Amino acid sequence: MGKVVVDITMSLDGYVAGPNPTLEEPLGKNGEELHEWVLQTEAWRGQHGLEGGEAGQDSELTEERVASVGAHVMGRRMFSGGSGAWEDDPRSMGWWGDNPPFHVPVFVLTHHAREPVEMEGGTTFVFITDGIESAVEQARAAAGDRDVAIAGGGAAVQQALAAGLVDEMQVHVAPILLGGGTRLFGEDADPVRLEATRVLSSPKATHLRFDVRS
Amino acid sequence: MGKVVVDITMSLDGYVAGPNPTLEEPLGKNGEELHEWVLQTEAWRGQHGLEGGEAGQDSELTEERVASVGAHVMGRRMFSGGSGAWEDDPRSMGWWGDNPPFHVPVFVLTHHAREPVEMEGGTTFVFITDGIESAVEQARAAAGDRDVAIAGGGAAVQQALAAGLVDEMQVHVAPILLGGGTRLFGEDADPVRLEATRVLSSPKATHLRFDVRS
């Protein structure tokens, strides 16, 4: 059976998005800078149907994750930027167009029930209204031998950690202090001991991988 | 002239101390675990007049910092755990006994004026009531060609960053999520771009060094 992994990029000051996210700027002020390390990789571009990009370690890491993940879990806001009823959500099909870059099932945490949506290219969005444990259980079943990735945002990661569901975390630390925004980690959580299993660095990010010990 | 460096240990979730600090447990719940990487090094033990300890990378890093720093700047709470008038502060001479491990001048940010205190072994505590810029300026003068280290806590680091005083940051990331406590970085700060200049890792900490670019 695969692992449940958190794989997410944060600023050195712990933000996964900058202040004041909008539909036009979903990652908030300067939030796009977090992802510079991945956006220019050959692997990311290929996954999104684009040519070119840089090879090398950042690209290999991206490929490694794509190959290992059999299902994703994400929060509603990461999925669409919206909240509330789906019919009022301008991005109710997600951010990614007709052929999203996942190519595996994606389990979206929401309070608003909805039938699954099958997209082009093998991505199916499944909407889960009974919480993180159910989402991870269904994602595990869908992923088979491959891993389940908790893709974010911060709230989904915090819920998964609090429920003891996470086996491994890979945090990509971008070399910026955003100064505000959405935090990856919460304020009133139980302590979690980690064990560093790999550290890689490139000019655009430091990739810290940990096993979750408790 | 030396640099102004931040050199501080935080948990992966960004805390420099755990929840509920007390005089008995000044680093809060589980906060001591942050510093396991340094406490067992030969360099740290030697600096504190103790024998033994582990050699190796963590020890070398500790030595490197001790050799490079000509003055420290720290907040009042890091100095004594107290606040308010000095005569009511049970740790008004600091945490470290008669021969503190600094052996250079230490500039303490406080709202309560006080004459400098000369300790054994070359440490002098100088109390600064007119803010971080003044503290860093006086520390620079005292340090000469060596570096000024902003030793913490979070508020002192945030003030130094906001004032544009920091040239370099070295953040030692301990493999734990403390889940709450005192944060290293604030909520309403301007963005700061960094450039990674070195990444080192050991089982007990990942040492991330950055130049501050803006």
Side-chain angles (χ1 to χ4, degrees), chain A:
Chain A
M1 201 164 78
K3 293 169 293 195
V4 177
V5 306
V6 167
D7 193 289
I8 198 162
T9 299
M10 73 172 190
S11 59
L12 181 64
D13 54 347
Y15 294 101
V16 293
N20 306 317
T22 61
L23 280 182
E24 293 70 39
E25 206 178 35
L27 290 171
K29 191 161 176 252
N30 305 311
E32 286 287 339
E33 292 180 46
L34 292 175
H35 299 282
E36 281 181 8
W37 74 270
V38 69
L39 296 180
Q40 62 197 357
T41 60
E42 200 171 33
W44 188 90
R45 292 180 58 87
Q47 198 189 358
H48 289 74
L50 302 167
E51 307 257 314
E54 291 174 26
Q57 182 181 271
D58 288 343
S59 195
E60 285 160 25
L61 266 179
T62 305
E63 260 170 18
E64 174 186 90
R65 186 59 76 202
V66 170
S68 68
V69 171
H72 296 266
V73 172
M74 68 175 64
R76 160 76 180 270
R77 203 170 285 275
M78 182 168 172
F79 173 70
S80 73
S83 59
W86 287 107
E87 52 269 30
D88 302 328
D89 187 334
R91 299 274 187 176
S92 66
M93 302 298 276
W95 292 102
W96 303 276
D98 295 334
N99 188 348
F102 305 104
H103 314 298
V104 293
V106 176
F107 294 84
V108 179
L109 298 159
T110 171
H111 296 294
H112 298 269
R114 181 176 171 188
E115 290 299 307
V117 176
E118 199 167 324
M119 309 295 285
E120 292 171 23
T123 299
T124 302
F125 295 123
V126 184
F127 301 92
I128 304 292
T129 55
D130 53 351
I132 187 75
E133 303 215 21
S134 171
V136 168
E137 189 184 324
Q138 293 180 59
R140 268 186 186 286
D145 287 343
R146 288 194 286 166
D147 295 341
V148 170
I150 313 286
V157 171
Q158 290 168 31
Q159 289 166 17
L161 284 166
L165 297 169
V166 180
D167 300 308
E168 179 180 296
M169 299 187 65
Q170 183 155 258
V171 179
H172 311 280
V173 180
I176 185 170
L177 304 175
L178 285 175
T182 305
R183 287 195 188 275
L184 176 53
F185 297 109
E187 295 270 343
D188 290 302
D190 287 329
V192 177
R193 273 85 183 182
L194 307 169
E195 186 176 334
T197 55
R198 187 176 69 185
V199 177
L200 298 171
S201 61
S202 75
K204 297 205 180 287
T206 308
H207 311 282
L208 309 179
R209 198 181 66 187
F210 301 92
D211 281 348
V212 176
R213 284 173 48 203
S214 57

Side-chain angles (χ1 to χ4, degrees), chain B residues 24-37:
Chain B
E24 293 69 40
E25 204 178 37
L27 290 171
K29 189 157 178 257
N30 303 313
E32 286 288 339
E33 293 180 45
L34 292 175
H35 299 284
E36 280 180 8
W37 74 270

